Amino acid sequence: MATRDVSHLTDVNKLQREPDGSFKRVQSTFRNFIEPGGKFEAEKDRYHLYVSYGCPWATRTLIVRKLKGLESIIPVTCVSPRLSKDGWAFPGTDVDPLFNASYIKDIYLRADPDFSTRFTVPVLWDKKLGTIVNNESSEIIRIFNSAFNHLLPAEKAALNLYPENLRAEIDQINEWVYTDINNGVYKAGFASTQSAYESAVIKLFESLDRVAEILKGRDFLVGEQLTEADVRLFVTIIRFDPAYVGAFKCNIRTIRDGYPTIHAWLRKLYWSDVFPAFKESTYFDHIKVGYYAAPAMARLNPTAIVPVGPLPNILPL
Ligand SMILES: N[C@@H](CCC(=O)N[C@@H](CS)C(=O)NCC(=O)O)C(=O)O
């Protein structure tokens, strides 16, 4: 498929920094919902999910897809763990079953030939209309949480990760967890000045202290049940010791040695028999290769050597 040259948009080494050296994430572009009577209706095998197992944002959608039992309704395809100068590529993990595309950018340019921001994962693709429904993980998990319930067995339909009575508290916690922790690790890792790095890393650890307090004597962040707030935090914390401590210099403390309450919460979710989605959506090999050995990370780790530790990647309960 002939596509225009978008190389200036796909190379993470050329990401623009703010004048003070800090990293600013671009807004996602495709922001549609799946709803009855809308342009995008819930149907089996109409939608396709593209992910990277290394990417925390994409992993949010993988976890919720499994928690809700959507595996047979929404198939998934994973890119190579090595983000290249041309962006996410196929194969490497899976072949693209829809278009045999070489890159995720090819999927975006099918939906919008003039697309001109970042070619990110996750991507929720609509096979019927041949376009992208949504490329914002926080919205894709809300879609998965509720839009397909009528096609699911009662037990899966009943699982609600964003219940009405907890929404205010979930929204509130999501806001600072996103800014200081989920995105905070990237702000530290992608900072191009000492002061931008230091302010990001200090804010990150202040917010981890705050999470540690909340999790004292509790298994979940909000209420007495699993919510999307846990999913959104989990994907960053599971990557913390294996990737962010080293690759992004988030090394004031580790989770396993410095944060007993967060560490207990993390291991309970990862090893949970009730919610196997957490363990089954975690691929430490993709995570380590993705952050340490991808061409896109060459500026941060020019040798592309992948660290052996921590061993094990996650401790038993
Ligand atoms: N807001 C997006 C962010 C997704 C995102 O930044 N994904 C990264 C991978 S971890 C990506 O695809 N980056 C490729 C690029 O920026 O070129 C979401 O949460 O869905």
Side-chain angles (χ1 to χ4, degrees):
M1 182 187 165
T3 54
R4 65 182 225 278
D5 178 17
V6 288
S7 49
H8 60 296
L9 299 171
T10 55
D11 188 351
V12 170
N13 291 302
K14 294 183 189 153
L15 268 178
Q16 289 292 325
R17 304 296 192 284
E18 300 298 288
D20 66 355
S22 63
F23 162 70
K24 196 161 170 220
R25 187 172 293 280
V26 298
Q27 289 291 317
S28 303
T29 319
F30 296 93
R31 309 297 289 265
N32 303 291
F33 277 79
I34 295 177
E35 56 207 353
K39 184 173 168 194
F40 303 98
E41 300 231 33
E43 284 171 48
K44 187 175 180 335
D45 206 27
R46 171 170 171 179
Y47 301 99
H48 196 90
L49 182 65
Y50 289 100
V51 299
S52 148
Y53 294 148
C55 168
W57 317 100
T59 304
R60 293 170 166 186
T61 67
L62 278 178
I63 292 173
V64 176
R65 172 178 171 270
K66 264 189 200 274
L67 284 171
K68 291 292 293 186
L70 287 165
E71 292 99 317
S72 66
I73 294 180
I74 303 170
V76 68
T77 295
C78 182
V79 296
S80 159
R82 296 169 192 270
L83 180 59
S84 77
K85 292 195 159 79
D86 293 308
W88 294 111
F90 305 100
T93 305
D94 298 329
V95 168
D96 170 27
L98 300 188
F99 310 110
N100 198 22
S102 300
Y103 296 100
I104 275 287
K105 70 179 161 78
D106 303 339
I107 311 283
Y108 274 81
L109 295 173
R110 274 175 187 272
D112 176 5
D114 297 322
F115 185 81
S116 60
T117 57
R118 308 289 317 172
F119 301 98
T120 54
V121 287
V123 174
L124 185 61
W125 178 263
D126 177 11
K127 291 190 274 192
K128 196 164 173 178
L129 298 182
T131 193
I132 295 173
V133 181
N134 201 304
N135 69 336
E136 169 51 47
S137 61
S138 59
E139 293 177 354
I140 297 175
I141 65 175
R142 297 244 170 112
I143 292 171
F144 288 179
N145 184 52
S146 56
F148 295 87
N149 280 349
H150 59 288
L151 302 175
L152 294 173
E155 168 232 345
K156 294 291 185 189
L159 178 73
N160 187 356
L161 299 168
Y162 192 49
E164 203 79 55
N165 61 323
L166 299 176
R167 282 188 185 179
E169 208 183 327
I170 293 171
D171 289 345
Q172 200 256 332
I173 209 163
N174 282 348
E175 195 180 318
W176 58 266
V177 165
Y178 169 77
T179 308
D180 304 340
I181 301 179
N182 301 138
N183 203 27
V185 292
Y186 285 89
K187 288 184 197 162
F190 288 159
S192 63
T193 61
Q194 183 72 30
S195 63
Y197 159 70
E198 281 183 18
S199 59
V201 87
I202 286 166
K203 191 80 194 137
L204 164 65
F205 279 84
E206 281 171 3
S207 293
L208 287 174
D209 294 346
R210 196 170 164 190
V211 169
E213 274 301 307
I214 293 173
L215 286 174
K216 267 190 185 151
R218 316 215 353 216
D219 286 343
F220 303 107
L221 277 173
V222 178
E224 304 290 305
Q225 65 186 84
L226 182 74
T227 68
E228 65 164 47
D230 296 294
V231 174
R232 291 171 50 129
L233 181 65
F234 176 88
V235 294
T236 299
I237 302 300
I238 196 74
R239 284 163 177 71
F240 207 89
D241 293 357
Y244 301 140
V245 167
F248 283 177
K249 306 183 187 78
C250 299
N251 61 358
I252 294 179
R253 282 180 286 285
T254 60
I255 299 297
R256 70 180 59 186
D257 295 319
Y259 286 108
T261 62
I262 303 180
H263 193 211
W265 164 89
L266 175 75
R267 284 176 300 150
K268 280 184 202 158
L269 287 181
Y270 181 88
W271 296 110
S272 168
D273 293 330
V274 183
F275 304 120
F278 288 92
K279 182 168 185 288
E280 290 172 3
S281 307
T282 301
Y283 297 81
F284 287 112
D285 49 346
H286 284 246
I287 291 171
K288 283 188 170 175
V289 166
Y291 284 103
Y292 284 104
M297 296 295 169
R299 235 167 66 147
L300 297 183
N301 189 27
T303 61
I305 290 171
V306 179
V308 174
L311 284 179
N313 286 310
I314 180 153
L315 290 167
L317 262 179

